[in-house]
Amino acid sequence: MNAPLKLKREPRDPRVRRRLFSWRMFLLILLVLLVLSATTVLILELVLKREFFSVAASMGAGTYWVTAAFLAAVVLQLVNSAKFDRPLRRLSRAMRMVAGGDFTVSLEPAHPSSKLDELDVIFEDFNLMVRELRSIETMKDDFVASVSHEIKTPLAVISSYAAALQRAELTQEEREQYAATIASASEGLSRLVTNILRLSKLENQGITPRPVPYDLTRQLSDCALAHEEAWEEKDIEFDAQLEERVMVTADESMMEIVFNNLIANAVKFTERGGRIVLRQERDGSEVVVTISDTGCGMDEETVKHIFDKFYQGDTSHAGEGNGLGLTLVRRVLEISGGSIAVRSARGEGSEFIVRLPLGQKK
């Protein structure tokens, strides 16, 4: 037989300074009832001392008690209305407005912060909930607008070049060039959709990391070699300063997204003949991976927004990405127990610093 479930007593909210049902109110009601009862006893005593019990006297006693009971009920109703009915009606009306899509609603607590009761705290929590909903709604609208814009651009390229391919007077070279442009735009659109789906799953916890110990040195080497053709084409010096073997505990496939994006960005923003340094070193219980380049760098404002969705500080390279790579990088690291920081200055290159917890050596 299962043991009965014991409900734990909820701790008192530290914001609550006064309770709806206080001992002071209890004592006040008790005092009023005692006074009314004592007065009734005195009246009855006076009536009973008479030699005969007159109808007028009995009616007087009854009238007093009915009047006293009526006044007590009125007072209790007024207190109940002030403490419960009106605040709850306000809350109900505000909730209906929020359900209808109005996220500008705000409820003012009835008491100052030093004298908040439970209902005041509920109002504060309701206001916080509405602010969060408003923020989410704004982010959703911005995200939809950004996605629509980003998808519209490659679709317009594909549509215009596909129409141009139908012209009979095009040379074979022009046809190949137009076809290559369509293929490139299609590939960019595919990357955009893939990144949007990845980011959506990560933000909604649709993807759960499966951390296992693995060799980070091997992964960094593989990611760097995957971009070898790109950096050699631009005659970039790639300096890899890696330890022989470093074990980390993380989801290997998800961390591959991180390092591929960071190395690809370094190659993209480094001018021909520049230099990229991939460094890996231990720091206590963590391993630090630094990817620095001699590219164009970023100003302070760009650094502030570099991890925002669809943000591209350098529009000259906008056609080579969709502004989701670094957003993916930060989200992967957040759910993997890692972190990322960036140091950059305009014209002086950029440096991204990734920190991950060390795993156990095999």
Side-chain angles (χ1 to χ4, degrees):
M1 185 175 177
N2 293 333
L5 180 64
K6 294 183 179 180
L7 297 177
K8 293 183 179 180
R9 185 177 179 181
E10 290 291 331
R12 181 177 177 177
D13 193 308
R15 294 172 294 173
V16 175
R17 300 301 180 186
R18 52 191 290 179
R19 293 189 176 277
L20 292 171
F21 299 99
S22 63
W23 285 108
R24 182 182 302 174
M25 179 62 68
F26 170 79
L27 292 175
L28 179 61
I29 293 174
L30 180 62
L31 178 62
V32 170
L33 291 176
L34 288 175
V35 170
L36 291 175
S37 301
T39 306
T40 303
V41 170
L42 289 174
I43 292 174
L44 288 175
E45 186 179 353
L46 290 174
V47 171
L48 292 174
K49 281 182 178 179
R50 299 187 178 188
E51 294 182 358
F52 63 94
F53 193 77
S54 68
V55 175
S58 62
M59 289 182 63
T63 301
Y64 162 78
W65 184 247
V66 169
T67 303
F70 174 79
L71 291 176
V74 169
V75 171
L76 288 174
Q77 177 61 27
L78 291 175
V79 171
N80 179 67
S81 178
K83 275 186 170 290
F84 301 103
D85 286 355
R86 286 199 295 269
L88 289 176
R89 283 200 300 270
R90 287 174 58 203
L91 180 60
S92 176
R93 186 166 55 250
M95 291 175 70
R96 287 196 301 272
M97 293 172 68
V98 172
D102 184 358
F103 300 113
T104 62
V105 182
S106 180
L107 293 174
E108 189 69 26
H111 304 98
S113 58
S114 59
K115 297 182 179 180
L116 295 180
D117 59 24
E118 280 90 346
L119 278 174
D120 295 325
V121 170
I122 290 175
F123 283 9
E124 287 192 344
D125 291 341
F126 173 83
N127 293 337
L128 175 62
M129 178 192 72
V130 174
R131 286 196 298 271
E132 291 296 324
L133 288 173
R134 184 167 61 242
S135 173
I136 292 171
E137 186 72 13
T138 302
M139 288 175 61
K140 184 195 76 174
D141 292 342
D142 291 345
F143 182 71
V144 170
S146 299
V147 168
S148 300
H149 173 73
E150 293 293 330
I151 289 179
K152 189 185 299 181
T153 303
L155 284 178
V157 171
I158 293 170
S159 177
S160 60
Y161 276 87
L165 272 175
Q166 297 176 8
R167 299 206 307 262
E169 67 274 13
L170 289 178
T171 65
Q172 183 61 29
E173 183 181 353
E174 287 175 326
R175 289 183 186 279
E176 291 176 358
Q177 182 182 351
Y178 289 1
T181 302
I182 292 174
S184 176
S186 300
E187 184 181 346
L189 183 59
S190 176
R191 284 198 306 268
L192 172 63
V193 173
T194 300
N195 283 339
I196 289 173
L197 291 175
R198 279 178 175 171
L199 188 59
S200 177
K201 287 181 179 180
L202 286 171
E203 291 185 333
N204 293 286
Q205 298 299 319
I207 297 177
T208 304
R210 297 176 181 175
V212 294
Y214 74 92
D215 185 3
L216 178 63
T217 303
R218 175 187 53 77
Q219 183 179 60
L220 290 173
S221 300
D222 292 343
C223 290
L225 290 173
H227 297 84
E228 183 178 10
E229 184 179 346
W231 86 61
E232 286 185 345
E233 185 180 341
K234 295 178 71 173
D235 196 24
I236 293 172
E237 178 188 351
F238 196 99
D239 184 6
Q241 303 174 8
L242 307 178
E243 295 179 280
E244 183 178 349
R245 181 181 174 87
V246 174
M247 302 299 294
V248 295
T249 301
D251 189 311
E252 187 172 357
S253 62
M254 291 177 67
M255 293 310 303
E256 189 176 330
I257 296 174
V258 171
F259 298 120
N260 273 330
N261 268 288
L262 293 178
I263 294 173
N265 276 351
V267 174
K268 178 170 69 174
F269 290 103
T270 301
E271 300 298 331
R272 180 174 294 277
R275 186 169 184 259
I276 295 173
V277 177
L278 172 61
R279 185 183 302 109
Q280 172 202 74
E281 57 188 353
R282 300 169 194 262
D283 184 11
S285 61
E286 295 180 319
V287 59
V288 182
V289 178
T290 305
I291 301 171
S292 57
D293 61 65
T294 58
C296 56
M298 299 175 284
D299 56 30
E300 187 177 344
E301 186 65 22
T302 302
V303 170
K304 287 180 183 177
H305 300 283
I306 196 63
F307 296 105
D308 295 348
K309 294 188 188 84
F310 301 110
Y311 185 82
Q312 292 181 317
D314 183 1
T315 55
S316 65
H317 292 80
E320 301 174 38
N322 47 55
L324 285 177
L326 289 177
T327 309
L328 273 170
V329 166
R330 182 177 63 175
R331 185 56 185 148
V332 166
L333 288 169
E334 284 176 349
I335 66 176
S336 300
S339 65
I340 185 169
V342 58
R343 289 197 290 262
S344 186
R346 178 65 71 183
E348 298 181 11
S350 301
E351 184 178 61
F352 288 86
I353 305 101
V354 174
R355 290 181 173 270
L356 288 171
L358 282 167
Q360 299 297 320
K361 258 190 173 181
K362 290 185 177 179

